[in-house]
Amino acid sequence: MERISKYQLAAMIILFQIGSTPLFEIGIKVGRDAWLVAIAGMLLGLLLLFLFLAIQRKEPEKNLSQLLNHYFGSFVGKFVILVYALWFTYEAMRNLRDFGDLTLLTILPRGPISLIMLVMLTLSIYAIYKGIEVFFRFAEFILAGVLGFYFILLIMQLISGVVYWDNLLPILENGIQPVFKESLTAVWFPFGQMVIFLMFWSYLKEKKGLGKTSIRSFFVSGVVIITSNIMNLIVLGPQLAGISTVPLLQSVQLIQIAEVFERFDALVILLFYAGIFIKATLWYLAAVLGLSQLFNTDYRRFVLPVGAIMYAASFLPRSWQSHLEFGKIVADQFKVNLIFIGVIPFILFIVMLIRGRDK
């Protein structure tokens, strides 16, 4: 069985959580209080993380697919595993499309999106074929560079004279209710997506450090996300941040120090690419792992079929805007995040408690 270290797990959690999140301004519907939404969403996401860790601690050697099959029974368990695999594939597809649209919006406006996404998909396929250990080792290798680049961007913004702290005032001008309401959306993306690690925690060599490693990594990624949200607000202001296609990219474009240090667009795009690649590939890997355990075969057999489905489905949205709107419909009307991140894990935990008492 493949195994990963706690440092590799920490790196993957941080990079996955950051992922494509800086592409968006979390909680911008409440204007200048968006940073409070990010904080509240992280704290609510921490409660979900405690639930996921509690599930894993009861069965440290089983992943989510094995837990569902064991506690829900053969028929119901296999059906839920299949539905989870479809959801993982859907999330991977969304990140694949994010990669294509981001490239068109920034560096290759006339490039063929089909070829751009195919390159990304090929890299993900290669990473999955190399195995879980290799992919997690890659995350460990690039973590320092990603966090270092984000720190450099933060320092450059602070000393470039484009920061206006008044953009955060007044705090809670419309009361706490709008912030709390919006945080119920932020909890699912990105913080609640920690549910995916129920597919990978069982591969950890040292189970003793699972909880501390996961919680600390969760907070590190949360600080990066919240800091990014705040910087967009104090540089662009709530109005411009709300209508900007990629707020972080636009705020970084304003950096100019001594007419020498400027045009950090390429650095930001590189960070986006690293985050999107990690996130898309981990969703992809979770999907093929779920299918492999459903059909009791090697997960590499499903890499190409699942990849073909992802690639074909990524063309369904006609534009970046329709891609975003489609995601909101799936999340808000069909309650997909609520079901897969909140309801099913909670039911699984209750069933585990009941069966544990019976035993």
Side-chain angles (χ1 to χ4, degrees):
M1 182 178 179
E2 297 180 88
R3 291 292 182 181
I4 58 176
S5 71
K6 62 181 181 180
Y7 302 107
Q8 292 165 356
L9 175 65
M12 186 61 76
I13 290 174
I14 294 170
L15 294 176
F16 175 84
Q17 283 287 95
I18 296 173
S20 59
T21 309
L23 282 172
F24 315 100
E25 184 69 9
I26 297 174
I28 194 59
K29 289 182 179 179
V30 298
R32 64 186 79 251
D33 290 328
W35 63 284
L36 295 175
V37 172
I39 293 175
M42 186 184 75
L43 295 177
L44 292 173
L46 183 62
L47 298 179
L48 286 173
L49 177 58
F50 288 149
L51 171 63
F52 306 149
L53 289 171
I55 292 172
Q56 190 65 50
R57 283 196 187 102
K58 288 189 170 295
E59 296 280 3
E61 295 298 330
K62 288 186 173 70
N63 65 19
L64 180 61
S65 298
Q66 295 165 330
L67 290 171
L68 292 170
N69 189 55
H70 180 73
Y71 285 98
F72 283 6
S74 179
F75 178 77
V76 176
K78 288 181 178 178
F79 174 76
V80 178
I81 293 169
L82 178 60
V83 176
Y84 260 105
L86 292 173
W87 180 56
F88 293 152
T89 304
Y90 164 76
E91 291 291 348
M93 178 276 293
R94 289 199 60 79
N95 282 271
L96 179 62
R97 182 58 189 259
D98 285 341
F99 182 89
D101 281 323
L102 175 65
T103 303
L104 294 184
L105 288 169
T106 53
I107 58 176
L108 293 174
R110 296 184 180 180
I113 192 172
S114 57
L115 181 59
I116 293 168
M117 292 194 298
L118 184 61
V119 171
M120 165 73 175
L121 182 62
T122 303
L123 292 174
S124 294
I125 290 173
Y126 177 77
I128 293 174
Y129 267 114
K130 296 301 288 185
I132 296 171
E133 288 186 28
V134 173
F135 182 48
F136 273 72
R137 200 178 304 131
F138 171 74
E140 182 185 24
F141 178 74
I142 68 170
L143 176 65
V146 170
L147 293 182
F149 284 160
Y150 273 110
F151 181 73
I152 290 172
L153 289 177
L154 172 64
I155 297 301
M156 290 295 182
Q157 285 178 317
L158 290 175
I159 66 177
S160 63
V162 296
V163 170
Y164 303 95
W165 293 99
D166 289 346
N167 287 331
L168 299 181
L169 301 175
I171 298 175
L172 294 176
E173 60 177 334
N174 297 315
I176 197 171
Q177 185 175 356
V179 172
F180 179 74
K181 183 179 179 181
E182 192 64 21
S183 66
L184 295 178
T185 301
V187 67
W188 309 122
F189 174 82
F191 303 108
Q193 292 182 338
M194 281 292 295
V195 69
I196 194 176
F197 287 94
L198 281 169
M199 292 294 296
F200 299 102
W201 276 325
S202 61
Y203 293 94
L204 187 64
K205 292 178 186 176
E206 305 170 23
K207 299 294 191 297
K208 188 177 179 181
L210 188 151
K212 288 183 179 179
T213 300
S214 300
I215 292 171
R216 289 171 181 171
S217 306
F218 178 85
F219 272 107
V220 171
S221 61
V223 168
V224 175
I225 292 168
I226 292 168
T227 303
S228 173
N229 252 41
I230 292 175
M231 294 309 297
N232 291 337
L233 287 172
I234 62 179
V235 173
L236 300 177
Q239 289 78 21
L240 186 54
I243 62 174
S244 177
T245 306
V246 186
L248 180 60
L249 182 61
Q250 190 162 353
S251 65
V252 167
Q253 287 174 341
L254 298 176
I255 295 176
Q256 187 177 30
I257 303 174
E259 297 184 358
V260 176
F261 298 102
E262 58 183 10
R263 303 299 297 177
F264 286 88
D265 309 32
L267 179 58
V268 175
I269 294 168
L270 185 63
L271 291 173
F272 285 155
Y273 281 170
I276 293 173
F277 171 73
I278 290 290
K279 197 156 192 173
T281 307
L282 198 66
W283 285 119
Y284 189 0
L285 180 56
V288 298
L289 277 176
L291 290 173
S292 72
Q293 286 154 1
L294 179 62
F295 294 100
N296 196 26
T297 186
D298 183 59
Y299 66 85
R300 291 174 179 87
R301 292 187 177 184
F302 295 96
V303 173
L304 293 180
V306 172
I309 293 172
M310 285 169 48
Y311 186 67
S314 64
F315 290 99
L316 293 177
R318 294 178 177 272
S319 64
W320 168 259
Q321 190 59 38
S322 62
H323 169 64
L324 298 178
E325 291 173 357
F326 179 75
K328 290 180 181 179
I329 291 172
V330 171
D332 297 339
Q333 296 186 14
F334 293 95
K335 307 296 182 184
V336 169
N337 291 330
L338 173 63
I339 293 170
F340 288 108
I341 297 174
V343 174
I344 295 179
F346 180 74
I347 294 174
L348 174 61
F349 182 64
I350 296 300
V351 171
M352 293 174 74
L353 289 178
I354 294 173
R355 291 189 59 177
R357 287 179 181 177
D358 291 343
K359 186 181 293 186

